[in-house]
Amino acid sequence: MKKNIAIIMGGYSSEYHISIKSGNVVHKYLDRAKYNPYRIIITKDRWFYLDEGNREYPMQKSDFTISADGNTVHFDCVFNAIHGTPGEDGLMQAYFELLGIPQTSCDHYEAALTFNKRDLLSTLKPYGVPCATSYFLNKGQTIDEDAIVDKVGLPCFVKANRAGSSYGVSKVHKKESLGQAIDDAFKEDTQIIIESFLDGTEVSVGVITYNNKVTVLPATEIISENDFFDFEAKYMGKSEEVTPARISEKQESNVRQLAKFIYKTLGLKGYTRSEFIFIGDEPHLLEINTTPGLTEESLLPQQARTAGISLEALFDSAIVEALR
């Protein structure tokens, strides 16, 4: 019997259109001999199934079923391709857990923890995971620019705490620019994190569960044409991505060990992609993505291909692991 797979995509954040692209790639490459894939679009206003002829059928949120052509479709597994809320912050994971439907990403608590940069770094620092110096700020709090600069120095990064794809991120070179950067970050989230600038090679490392084993994929080196790996660099061709990364054997060993340690320590599942910057041979963690981009050009698929894993095998493995 073929399994019915709901590929959820879209979401409520600025990453909606990127998620739609990821979901469509998953839909394209899933093996039709094993699976019946359904594209499920999640928006704030409605959830619906989009069929091959682009006809829309409403989703029943009470049990996550659809009625199409006179038949009620129940799903054996959900393939999560939503970047940002509600697919990467634990909301969808908790919903599917309550319904008893397996899904391909990590569990709800781990998703919420990793999506919150401040909580993630605070959790991992006691384990000895190196990170940048950081300053936390909530909307409505008094902004003390001198205290910020005293703690993190200049240049520094101002980031929305719970957002992805470099939305709400600015690199600040002088104190006079802090106010605008903070305002921009608050457009994405009510919490922000301000971090010291780490001057070194940036790499992205995918860690997945593949054939029932935690597997670290080859690292990708990020070389941005812009001042940092911002939205333009990430999605509009303003960067060079080199897989495998041009790093020393020592650096490669260190980052692979650290990425695997974090994955296991946090009890993560499915796909993750962690971002690091090297200071000497020591990788410093920036953030973790638990529903990373899945287009043909995205970093995790690039890394999988370098490791000899096709998109068909990569996507199949996520479902196999979720159904174990």
Side-chain angles (χ1 to χ4, degrees), residues 5-11 16 18-24 26-27 30 37-43 47-49 59 64 75 77-88 90-96 101-105 291-292 294:
I5 308 299
I7 307 166
I8 58 171
M9 59 187 89
Y16 175 90
I18 300 160
S19 171
I20 294 292
K21 289 181 181 178
S22 288
N24 280 323
V26 175
H27 181 261
L30 275 189
Y38 292 79
R39 292 180 295 173
I40 308 298
I41 313 299
I42 305 291
T43 74
W47 299 7
F48 61 93
Y49 159 51
M59 170 68 65
F64 200 70
F75 293 102
C77 184
V78 173
F79 196 113
N80 185 1
I82 295 178
H83 314 313
T85 188
E88 198 165 5
L91 295 179
M92 296 301 293
Q93 289 88 341
Y95 166 74
F96 290 122
I101 303 174
Q103 54 87 36
T104 58
S105 57
T291 56
L294 296 173

Side-chain angles (χ1 to χ4, degrees), residues 22 44 51-53 56 71 95 97 122 138 159 179 197 220 223 225 229 251 266 273 279 283 291 297 319:
S22 288
K44 281 184 178 177
D51 75 5
E52 304 290 344
E56 299 176 3
N71 298 312
Y95 166 74
E97 186 173 330
S122 298
N138 294 338
K159 304 176 179 181
F197 170 58
T220 299
I223 307 104
E225 293 178 21
F229 196 44
Q251 288 175 323
L266 296 180
R273 201 192 72 231
I279 302 300
T291 56
E297 300 81 22
I319 297 169

Side-chain angles (χ1 to χ4, degrees), residues 7-284:
I7 307 166
I8 58 171
M9 59 187 89
Y12 306 163
S13 75
S14 302
E15 299 179 83
Y16 175 90
H17 295 290
I18 300 160
S19 171
I20 294 292
K21 289 181 181 178
S22 288
N24 280 323
V25 170
V26 175
H27 181 261
K28 174 182 174 183
Y29 282 96
L30 275 189
D31 184 356
R32 271 27 177 209
K34 294 177 66 174
Y35 306 118
N36 298 314
Y38 292 79
R39 292 180 295 173
I40 308 298
I41 313 299
I42 305 291
T43 74
K44 281 184 178 177
D45 300 324
R46 61 200 182 102
W47 299 7
F48 61 93
Y49 159 51
L50 189 66
D51 75 5
E52 304 290 344
N54 288 327
R55 290 171 296 187
E56 299 176 3
Y57 300 84
M59 170 68 65
Q60 298 299 318
K61 290 186 182 180
S62 60
D63 59 2
F64 200 70
T65 60
I66 55 171
S67 295
D69 302 323
N71 298 312
T72 299
V73 179
H74 296 263
F75 293 102
D76 298 293
C77 184
V78 173
F79 196 113
N80 185 1
I82 295 178
H83 314 313
T85 188
E88 198 165 5
D89 58 359
L91 295 179
M92 296 301 293
Q93 289 88 341
Y95 166 74
F96 290 122
E97 186 173 330
L98 288 171
L99 291 178
I101 303 174
Q103 54 87 36
T104 58
S105 57
C106 62
D107 294 335
H108 71 277
Y109 172 74
E110 288 77 13
L113 174 66
T114 52
F115 193 69
N116 187 309
K117 298 181 184 73
R118 298 182 346 185
D119 289 355
L120 170 69
L121 299 177
S122 298
T123 298
L124 288 174
K125 278 182 180 178
Y127 287 96
V129 175
C131 311
T133 302
S134 54
Y135 186 103
F136 302 160
L137 194 62
N138 294 338
K139 201 160 193 174
Q141 282 185 323
T142 301
I143 299 170
D144 186 337
E145 294 182 353
D146 289 327
I148 294 169
V149 173
D150 284 346
K151 184 167 187 185
V152 303
L154 289 171
C156 64
F157 281 99
V158 179
K159 304 176 179 181
N161 187 43
R162 297 164 295 189
S165 290
S166 302
Y167 286 104
V169 181
S170 302
K171 185 176 180 182
V172 175
H173 293 270
K174 52 187 180 180
K175 190 171 76 171
E176 293 76 22
S177 303
L178 259 178
Q180 184 60 56
I182 290 169
D183 287 345
D184 290 344
F186 277 138
K187 290 175 186 174
E188 291 291 329
D189 192 9
T190 58
Q191 301 176 355
I192 65 174
I193 179 170
I194 304 171
E195 293 182 323
S196 59
F197 170 58
L198 300 176
D199 190 8
T201 301
E202 181 172 354
V203 297
S204 180
V205 182
V207 183
I208 64 175
T209 303
Y210 188 74
N211 291 335
N212 203 27
K213 186 174 78 172
V214 175
T215 301
V216 183
L217 299 175
T220 299
E221 181 182 353
I222 308 297
I223 307 104
S224 176
E225 293 178 21
N226 295 346
D227 202 19
F228 65 100
F229 196 44
D230 59 6
F231 183 86
E232 259 197 350
K234 193 172 287 187
Y235 294 110
M236 300 174 71
K238 297 289 186 178
S239 67
E240 184 183 357
E241 299 159 1
V242 181
T243 309
R246 299 168 298 185
I247 54 179
S248 69
E249 288 185 14
K250 178 69 171 174
Q251 288 175 323
E252 182 182 4
S253 174
N254 287 349
V255 79
R256 289 177 67 86
Q257 288 181 39
L258 184 57
K260 189 173 187 177
F261 172 81
I262 291 169
Y263 188 97
K264 288 189 164 185
T265 298
L266 296 180
L268 299 178
K269 297 178 183 176
Y271 305 148
T272 69
R273 201 192 72 231
S274 302
E275 318 302 327
F276 300 92
I277 288 183
F278 282 103
I279 302 300
D281 289 333
E282 187 172 54
H284 287 58

